[in-house]
Amino acid sequence: MSMAATPGKPSFWRTVKAVAWSFVGLRARGDYEEDVKNLNPLHIIVVGLIAVVVFVAALVLLAKWMVAH
């Protein structure tokens, strides 16, 4: 049983992977074009906003931890 999404059907995991690769800035053109065709823009926005909140919270916690030590 494969956990990969079927082509043409958006999935949560596929959206998370696309947003994560966007944060890093590395994405193959073919993968990007496939994402554009298959992912729901609303899902990308929601996952992106959640990722930004998690990233900022991690930076704040890291900064507080560094100041405390």
Side-chain angles (χ1 to χ4, degrees), residues 44-66:
I44 294 172
I45 292 169
V46 170
V47 170
L49 290 174
I50 291 170
V52 166
V53 169
V54 169
F55 181 70
V56 170
L59 288 178
V60 169
L61 290 173
L62 178 65
K64 285 185 178 186
W65 181 75
M66 294 295 287

Side-chain angles (χ1 to χ4, degrees), residues 3-69:
M3 294 198 63
T6 57
K9 182 177 181 185
S11 73
F12 177 74
W13 179 244
R14 186 181 188 102
T15 303
V16 170
K17 282 181 23 179
V19 170
W21 278 114
S22 295
F23 266 67
V24 175
L26 302 172
R27 192 75 171 152
R29 179 175 279 292
D31 291 336
Y32 170 76
E33 290 173 358
E34 189 174 323
D35 289 341
V36 169
K37 288 188 285 186
N38 296 326
L39 296 179
N40 183 339
L42 181 61
H43 294 163
I44 294 172
I45 292 169
V46 170
V47 170
L49 290 174
I50 291 170
V52 166
V53 169
V54 169
F55 181 70
V56 170
L59 288 178
V60 169
L61 290 173
L62 178 65
K64 285 185 178 186
W65 181 75
M66 294 295 287
V67 169
H69 287 94

